[in-house]
Amino acid sequence: MNDQRRTEARAVTLNVAGKSEEHADDDLYSFLYLEWYTLSSSCPLMAAALGPVSNLFSITALAEPWVIELNRGQFDRFYPDGAMTIALNAVSLAFGILANMALLANFTGRVKYGLSQAISITSFYIASVLLLALIGNEYRVYSSRVREGPNLQFSQGYWSAVITAVLYFLCGFVLTWNLVGHLKGHYPASFILTSSQRSLMLQILCITIWLAGGGGLFAGIQDYSYGDAVYFCDVTILTVGFGDLQPTNDLSRALVLPYALIGILILGFVVVNVRSIVLVSSREQQSLNRVERLRVRNLRRVPLERTDEDSFNFMRKIHKSAKKRDMLATLVLSTILFVIFWLFSAFVFSKIEGWSYFIGFYFCTTSLLTIGYGQFVPSLPGSKAFFVLWSLIAVPLMTMLIISMGNTVIAAIVKFVQKLGDVMLKNISSNLTTEPSQQMTTDLESQKPDEPLSDATNNEIQNFHAHDNYGNDHDNEQIAKEMHLVDAIQVIVGDLHVNPRKKYSYKEWNMLAKTLDTQFNWLGTDSPIRFPVDEPALFLRLYWNSLKDHLTNKYIANRKVSATERGHI
């Protein structure tokens, strides 16, 4: 039964790592394990995020003719698209919607992984190829028209088609890589996504539907082209407020208020979910992998004459080191991605609008900060279409950067300011007296997460030894053990209420091992602290099951004694 409790503790830690018992140590500490796990979750998440966005641009490409005629540099009229262009554009949109529906059906478990992947990948590629063919043909026709009259220009519909073709191909590519990882046996036939990731996909779908619907609404009310209307809605939701497009009548002013409010709320939900994903989802497996790699790497460095407590403390240090490295890696990755995106975006805007690179950089910065001076705004169809895509990508990237900075740089600054305040106010605070009412907190309420063995638990250990001293017969020994288990459970329940993520000391873990009549190998593969776990919940489970086993055995023994006594009678 004690081996069962030890196995149970191991099973809990393996469940945290997402590994089964028979595959507990399969490449968990290898470098490629983390890469394949990231691929299994990031690829479908990227496809599910970009898929609805690509449909938004595809609708713009279908709703707005691809060539416009200018009069003295100003918009004059659209050149109508040919019937074949409209038909193939509509077919491409239909394939794009089918791919997203198959992907969503897989996420909800309504369609099997293999069938969903086949439909999504094939549909994304077909939609991309159709648009690429149309773009190439339209460019050829446009070139011939320019020779006839120079006052022609590609509209937002054309540039939206270019963006859509790239996004469709990217979605098909990442899903193909996800399928390759499954066929190689690196993960099962399912998308490994958390509830936050699934919620994020639905919220991105909602915000794209909101932009697409708003584009149709304000295009009719304001007499905008559909591309301009989508751009107007995007600028409104992001609270940038360039001022180049404004509501011009009372009806549009009345409608823009609830539209902006609901859109900002949806965008806020997206930001919150991105924060949750950065803090939890992406870091959990990264932390587990790094802990395991550090554990395996340092096993040879630990001296053979180490004590059991030294091994326990060494494993704790590995966890702290892995946590610091994970936070630093997240910060570096977020910073690199954001800076590359920032500089590249400035280059694109400067080339399309004819600005200097500094002005493009200035425009991106003020737009990201939602300042909205209105000095420089996207004025060409290509820059407006790119701005909509740029803004939808910039929001989650900036959120990732801010969150990673909050856990590292900003946290260090806050800690420094607190220490500086303690030093500067030390003399003042030393003269203050503490009110008795401020001291009326329980030991459990004042206990810190990393605080060593609490006084309450020390008392329980002393009581246990005291029970052993006066337990001279079997009944007293049974009562002593029951009292120890009940007292330990009472303390752990308090820990769960006050600090459910508390880390127990070596003495507390050692007391658990004695109760289970076993010994933990703190640095081994069966270590209960091999991976980060919620220790109060694990302690409660093991102590509770130990008490249940004890009472069950006691009941069976009493039944046997009663049966024996009745037999003698």
Side-chain angles (χ1 to χ4, degrees):
M1 193 66 68
N2 296 324
D3 290 338
Q4 179 181 354
R5 296 283 81 81
R6 183 170 57 184
T7 303
E8 184 179 355
R10 170 178 165 82
V12 171
T13 58
L14 292 178
N15 182 59
V16 171
K19 305 290 286 183
S20 60
E21 187 73 29
E22 60 270 20
H23 299 96
D25 304 306
D26 289 351
D27 298 328
L28 186 59
Y29 61 88
S30 68
F31 183 77
L32 292 179
Y33 168 80
L34 181 60
E35 276 59 36
W36 282 111
Y37 180 88
T38 303
L39 190 67
S40 69
S41 57
S42 61
C43 282
L45 181 63
M46 184 182 300
L50 295 180
V53 175
S54 60
N55 287 155
L56 171 66
F57 285 98
S58 184
I59 293 173
T60 305
L62 179 61
E64 184 170 306
W66 288 11
V67 178
I68 59 177
E69 183 176 351
L70 303 178
N71 183 10
R72 296 181 180 179
Q74 299 296 322
F75 171 78
D76 185 24
R77 67 186 180 91
F78 283 106
Y79 263 83
D81 293 331
M84 184 60 67
T85 299
I86 296 175
L88 292 180
N89 206 342
V91 172
S92 175
L93 175 59
F95 273 108
I97 294 176
L98 176 62
N100 280 297
M101 291 179 62
L103 196 60
L104 183 61
N106 192 356
F107 291 144
T108 58
R110 299 180 182 274
V111 179
K112 292 184 178 179
Y113 175 84
L115 178 60
S116 169
Q117 284 286 73
I119 295 175
S120 296
I121 293 173
T122 304
S123 299
F124 275 131
Y125 281 138
I126 292 176
S128 179
V129 170
L130 287 176
L131 280 180
L132 288 174
L134 285 175
I135 291 168
N137 180 68
E138 193 69 21
Y139 184 80
R140 179 182 60 82
V141 174
Y142 169 78
S143 300
S144 63
R145 287 177 178 174
V146 168
R147 286 192 291 268
E148 298 174 0
N151 294 325
L152 296 179
Q153 192 178 69
F154 281 127
S155 70
Q156 290 188 55
Y158 175 85
W159 293 112
S160 296
V162 173
I163 293 174
T164 304
V166 174
L167 293 180
Y168 277 159
F169 182 82
L170 183 60
C171 290
F173 179 76
V174 296
L175 289 179
T176 301
W177 267 109
N178 181 268
L179 182 61
V180 169
H182 163 63
L183 295 178
K184 286 181 172 291
H186 292 289
Y187 39 80
S190 62
F191 293 138
I192 306 175
L193 298 176
T194 64
S195 59
S196 296
Q197 291 171 333
R198 297 178 191 273
S199 299
L200 178 63
M201 294 184 312
L202 294 177
Q203 289 159 6
I204 292 176
L205 179 62
C206 289
I207 199 168
T208 52
I209 292 175
W210 196 247
L211 286 173
L217 175 65
F218 289 102
I221 297 176
Q222 288 288 125
D223 197 25
Y224 292 150
S225 68
Y226 186 79
D228 277 345
V230 171
Y231 166 78
F232 165 77
C233 293
D234 181 67
V235 171
T236 300
I237 290 176
L238 293 175
T239 68
V240 178
F242 289 134
D244 51 341
L245 296 179
Q246 303 176 8
T248 56
N249 55 66
D250 290 341
L251 178 59
S252 59
R253 294 188 185 103
L255 291 176
V256 79
L257 298 178
Y259 179 84
L261 178 60
I262 297 175
I264 292 171
L265 289 176
I266 298 175
L267 189 64
F269 290 140
V270 172
V271 171
V272 170
N273 258 315
V274 170
R275 176 184 182 276
S276 176
I277 291 173
V278 172
L279 290 179
V280 180
S281 304
S282 61
R283 184 172 299 168
E284 183 175 351
Q285 286 297 327
Q286 181 180 357
S287 177
L288 297 176
N289 177 261
R290 196 179 299 276
V291 166
E292 185 63 10
R293 287 165 60 187
L294 288 174
R295 185 189 70 85
V296 174
R297 185 187 308 165
N298 287 282
L299 277 177
R300 300 176 183 177
R301 303 179 185 178
V302 180
L304 297 176
E305 62 274 10
R306 67 181 184 274
T307 64
D308 190 59
E309 186 172 1
D310 290 337
S311 298
F312 178 88
N313 293 331
F314 189 77
M315 194 65 201
R316 290 295 200 204
K317 290 181 181 178
I318 288 177
H319 281 289
K320 292 181 179 179
S321 176
K323 184 177 180 180
K324 290 180 180 178
R325 295 188 183 189
D326 292 340
M327 295 172 64
L328 181 61
T330 303
L331 175 62
V332 172
L333 179 61
S334 301
T335 303
I336 292 175
L337 289 177
F338 183 78
V339 170
I340 292 175
F341 176 77
W342 194 3
L343 298 179
F344 175 75
S345 301
F347 172 78
V348 173
F349 281 116
S350 63
K351 287 299 180 182
I352 297 177
E353 289 286 340
W355 298 332
S356 66
Y357 185 80
F358 172 75
I359 295 300
F361 182 84
Y362 172 82
F363 168 76
C364 291
T365 305
T366 54
S367 299
L368 280 173
L369 298 176
T370 68
I371 296 176
Y373 288 131
Q375 295 171 297
F376 302 96
V377 297
S379 59
L380 299 177
S383 59
K384 288 182 180 179
F386 182 73
F387 179 84
V388 175
L389 175 65
W390 173 82
S391 62
L392 294 176
I393 298 176
V395 170
L397 279 182
M398 193 168 185
T399 303
M400 290 174 57
L401 178 63
I402 293 174
I403 296 303
S404 58
M405 289 183 63
N407 295 329
T408 51
V409 178
I410 298 177
I413 295 175
V414 171
K415 187 176 181 180
F416 171 77
V417 172
Q418 289 177 344
K419 289 184 177 180
L420 182 63
D422 292 340
V423 172
M424 296 180 63
L425 300 176
K426 183 176 181 180
N427 295 331
I428 298 177
S429 60
S430 61
N431 296 327
L432 299 178
T433 58
T434 304
E435 297 293 334
S437 58
Q438 297 177 347
Q439 301 176 355
M440 296 178 62
T441 57
T442 63
D443 291 337
L444 289 173
E445 292 174 338
S446 60
Q447 191 168 335
K448 298 180 179 179
D450 298 327
E451 191 177 18
L453 191 66
S454 62
D455 293 337
T457 310
N458 269 320
N459 294 334
E460 306 308 332
I461 295 176
Q462 294 174 2
N463 291 338
F464 176 61
H465 291 301
H467 291 319
D468 281 345
N469 292 335
Y470 68 72
N472 297 322
D473 52 34
H474 179 72
D475 291 339
N476 283 341
E477 290 178 358
Q478 295 293 318
I479 294 174
K481 184 171 185 178
E482 292 167 7
M483 291 183 64
H484 163 65
L485 291 172
V486 171
D487 291 342
I489 290 173
Q490 182 181 6
V491 174
I492 295 168
V493 169
D495 290 336
L496 276 171
H497 174 68
V498 177
N499 185 16
R501 301 190 68 85
K502 174 186 175 182
K503 299 298 182 184
Y504 288 109
S505 67
Y506 170 76
K507 291 183 180 179
E508 291 165 309
W509 273 101
N510 193 38
M511 177 54 62
L512 174 64
K514 289 181 179 179
T515 302
L516 303 180
D517 193 20
T518 188
Q519 187 173 2
F520 295 123
N521 181 8
W522 305 114
L523 295 176
T525 57
D526 59 345
S527 171
I529 59 172
R530 179 185 176 188
F531 302 114
V533 295
D534 293 335
E535 295 184 10
L538 176 61
F539 266 52
L540 180 62
R541 179 176 175 177
L542 295 176
Y543 271 115
W544 177 264
N545 288 337
S546 180
L547 177 60
K548 184 171 65 175
D549 293 340
H550 172 76
L551 294 177
T552 301
N553 294 334
K554 182 179 179 180
Y555 174 76
I556 294 174
N558 291 337
R559 289 286 300 272
K560 290 181 179 179
V561 171
S562 299
T564 303
E565 291 177 351
R566 287 196 299 269
H568 285 303
I569 295 175

